[in-house]
Amino acid sequence: MGLFILTETPSGYALFKSKEKKLLKNDNYIGEINNAQGICDTLKLKQFQKFQNAATAVEEASAIIESKVSPMLARLLEPLQNEKKATLAVADSKLGTAINKLPNINISAVSDSTTTDLFRSIRGFLPSLIPGYEQKDADTMRLGLAHSLSRHKLKFSTEKVDTMIIQAIALLDDLDKELNIYAMRVKEWYGWHFPEMAKIINDNLAYARVILKMGYRSDAAESDLAEVLPEEIETAVKTAAEVSMGSEITEEDLENIRLLAGQVVDFTEYRQNLSQFLTNRMRAIAPNLTALVGDLVGARLISHSGSLVNLAKSPASTIQILGAEKALFRALKTKHDTPKYGHLYHASLVGQATGRNKGKIARMLATKTAMGIRVDSLSQWGTEGEGAIDVEPTEEEKSALGNESRIKIERRLQALEGKRINFNAGAAIAPSAGLGYASSAGQQAQPGKFELKEARKYNHQADGLDSESPAVVKKHEVRGTEKKKPLIEEVEEVEEMNGDEDQMDEDSEPPATAMNGAKEGSSEDVSSDEEPTSKFVKKESSEDVPMKGAPTPPQEKQKKKKRSKDHEAGGKDGKEGKKREKTAKQTARDKVAKEARKAEKQRKKAEKEAKRAKEMAEQAGQKRKRDDGAEAEADVVEKESKEKKRKKKKSGKEH
């Protein structure tokens, strides 16, 4: 039975044994250990286990902080197995609980308010308790261990610092704005001297390099622009320089224009390097996010949320509309539909979907992106310290989840669109095109030579045309001079003939309906050439039954003649004749219905105008009545005033 004290130092573990078995129960023991002599008389060093190196010291300190019993500490406590009813004082109660759970050690760990002063005295007089332990060396070891432990707990890695991504994407956006302003100013400034070159060269970088290479337009013929422009574009520039209508500039003006053009070239080259840096850093920090949405969109998502960890904490619904907060709150305020996407709208997968499928693909992409971001943020690759993995995975293994998720989304998009989509092409989303950015599919785009589009050329042949000659002879006017079959003329002829027939059939419908008891329009549904479909009642067509308003004999003969011709033609010609006849009837019916609708519309319009005229007349009558009443009232008032004056004058004469 005895009291043991376990304490940790920057250089190792120390196990002390108290000479008094009931030291903690003594109320006056604090006064006995207030000096070095007193604590040396009270405690005796039983065992000291030194750390082998700094890495071991960091691991053991981390285990103590997390209240875990390391193998080194377990070996230190093995001699206490033979002690019976021994007590071990520790500074952390959770560590004491972990020690009590160790097998084959029958010892009770104590950590309460009575041990606080004891450990304070031990830390104050540690050089006196451990032989060869110097205070100066202890302070140095303590400082080094504190720094190492801080780096270990922070899991610091220069490859996983997302602050560089936030700064790079912000600088990239600023560079794009400045480049556009500078390039526009260069074209506007140099355009006074050589305005035609802006229409020939549409690339800002090429335009600035040509200015630096050529200078005055008069030196274009002597300048070698093969390193800057293709051969055909170079020829066009030199030809335009000979007939340019620009004004002359001084040497000082040209020098300032060249300085500005040099700024455009330098900024463009720096932007290419910055975009390459951003691509490499995104692949190192968030490979799955880059594989799903691309480096530009991924960097904007990280920048918008503040850090990769904050983005990993966000749900998929938040990631989907990240960047569209203004539209979201406006929609909630006005009770309209909320936005379906924010920064994800610029992802290639969403861009390749049609309008009706963009929302579905954005929702699915946000879900997969949330999973990929959490893998990128919480994984242990590229870290140093606690939890670091021994074998670093390859680039393919890091982005495996992102690539698999992208394939699933591509298959889903193809199923929704119902057609095959070329996903390798990616989406042409500025500003990554042609400037060294990685494509959305994860393939690195090489910063090759700029691309030039062919500019519009002036048509010199148009100057020699007479006023009466045609400007352009179209291809379809030259070929196809054969006379086509006059199908339209035949349809019009049938339409005229069948129009009268339908009109007569409409006149004969009421008697036929009364006699046969059929519904209106039955004669239109059943053709005169078809057999009746009823089994019990045989319906006769309007051609066989003479009725009121039936066709005259000449018309009857003409119809039969036409029908016989169609039957004699047989096969295809007969079918075409039936189709033309049916089309003509339908056209005639549509024409009659159109005229009826037009007449009804005119009738309603006339009624409306008549009603309006009537209202206006009533209003005029009421106004006239009001005017007449006002005039009568004015006359009465005038008469009364005259009568009063007359009476007053008469009374004055009497007086």
Side-chain angles (χ1 to χ4, degrees), residues 190 194 197 210-217 219-220 223 258:
Y190 193 73
F194 192 1
M197 192 172 76
V210 168
I211 293 175
L212 295 175
K213 195 81 174 177
M214 181 175 62
Y216 291 107
R217 68 168 186 266
D219 299 337
S223 301
R258 280 183 166 175

Side-chain angles (χ1 to χ4, degrees), residues 159 275-285 295 444:
E159 296 296 328
S275 63
Q276 183 66 33
F277 165 78
L278 181 63
T279 301
N280 297 335
R281 187 53 61 91
M282 281 295 296
R283 287 182 174 181
I285 294 179
D295 50 0
Q444 176 65 32

Side-chain angles (χ1 to χ4, degrees), residues 365-400:
L365 181 61
T367 306
K368 299 298 183 182
T369 302
M371 297 171 59
I373 292 169
R374 288 162 190 170
V375 172
D376 295 335
S377 176
L378 304 177
S379 59
Q380 301 298 329
W381 65 65
T383 59
E384 298 176 358
E386 183 181 0
I389 55 179
D390 297 333
V391 181
E392 188 74 12
T394 61
E395 297 295 332
E396 291 78 9
E397 293 175 351
K398 291 179 180 179
S399 60

Side-chain angles (χ1 to χ4, degrees), residues 107-405:
I107 190 172
S108 61
V110 178
S111 178
D112 51 18
S113 59
T114 58
T115 60
T116 305
D117 295 328
L118 179 61
F119 281 105
R120 185 184 298 112
S121 299
I122 291 174
R123 285 193 295 269
F125 303 105
L126 200 58
S128 302
L129 292 172
I130 302 175
Y133 189 84
E134 298 292 338
Q135 185 65 36
K136 185 177 180 180
D137 297 338
D139 294 340
T140 304
M141 288 186 290
R142 187 179 292 107
L143 180 62
L145 180 60
H147 289 170
S148 301
L149 188 61
S150 299
R151 285 194 298 268
H152 175 77
K153 296 302 294 182
L154 289 175
K155 303 177 183 179
F156 179 77
S157 174
T158 56
E159 296 296 328
K160 299 199 72 173
V161 178
D162 50 10
T163 307
M164 300 301 173
I165 291 179
I166 298 173
Q167 299 296 333
I169 191 63
L171 179 58
L172 201 63
D173 293 338
D174 294 340
L175 279 177
D176 289 334
K177 295 178 183 178
E178 296 297 330
L179 271 175
N180 289 333
I181 295 174
Y182 280 21
M184 180 181 66
R185 185 61 59 193
V186 167
K187 288 185 177 181
E188 189 174 334
W189 200 350
Y190 193 73
W192 286 98
H193 180 61
F194 192 1
E196 292 82 5
M197 192 172 76
K199 297 181 179 179
I200 300 173
I201 303 175
N202 52 22
D203 186 79
N204 297 331
L205 180 60
Y207 192 92
R209 285 177 174 172
V210 168
I211 293 175
L212 295 175
K213 195 81 174 177
M214 181 175 62
Y216 291 107
R217 68 168 186 266
S218 57
D219 299 337
E222 301 175 358
S223 301
D224 184 15
L225 304 177
E227 298 179 358
V228 182
L229 299 175
E231 184 178 356
E232 61 274 9
I233 305 296
E234 180 184 2
T235 305
V237 170
K238 291 182 178 180
T239 305
E242 296 176 358
V243 294
S244 177
M245 299 178 64
S247 60
E248 298 295 333
I249 57 176
T250 62
E251 184 68 29
E252 185 179 0
D253 296 335
L254 181 61
E255 184 65 25
N256 288 319
I257 294 173
R258 280 183 166 175
L259 289 175
L260 185 58
Q263 292 289 329
V264 172
V265 174
D266 294 341
F267 278 176
T268 305
E269 293 176 352
Y270 174 66
R271 190 198 180 284
Q272 293 176 359
N273 297 332
L274 183 63
S275 63
Q276 183 66 33
F277 165 78
L278 181 63
T279 301
N280 297 335
R281 187 53 61 91
M282 281 295 296
R283 287 182 174 181
I285 294 179
N288 294 289
L289 177 62
T290 306
L292 282 167
V293 299
D295 50 0
L296 269 182
V297 180
R300 285 194 171 92
L301 288 173
I302 295 174
S303 176
H304 195 93
S305 58
S307 65
L308 184 63
V309 177
N310 293 342
L311 187 62
K313 294 177 182 178
S314 303
S317 57
T318 303
I319 295 173
Q320 182 179 351
I321 60 172
L322 204 63
E325 289 83 0
K326 188 175 180 180
L328 173 64
F329 291 116
R330 183 173 62 248
L332 294 175
K333 183 178 180 181
T334 58
K335 296 182 180 179
H336 285 78
D337 294 338
T338 55
K340 298 179 181 178
Y341 25 66
H343 290 305
L344 288 183
Y345 179 80
H346 299 290
S348 62
L349 290 172
V350 179
Q352 290 172 350
T354 56
R356 60 179 182 177
N357 295 326
K358 283 185 182 293
K360 297 179 181 179
I361 296 301
R363 183 168 59 252
M364 188 175 182
L365 181 61
T367 306
K368 299 298 183 182
T369 302
M371 297 171 59
I373 292 169
R374 288 162 190 170
V375 172
D376 295 335
S377 176
L378 304 177
S379 59
Q380 301 298 329
W381 65 65
T383 59
E384 298 176 358
E386 183 181 0
I389 55 179
D390 297 333
V391 181
E392 188 74 12
T394 61
E395 297 295 332
E396 291 78 9
E397 293 175 351
K398 291 179 180 179
S399 60
L401 178 63
N403 293 329
E404 292 175 1
S405 301

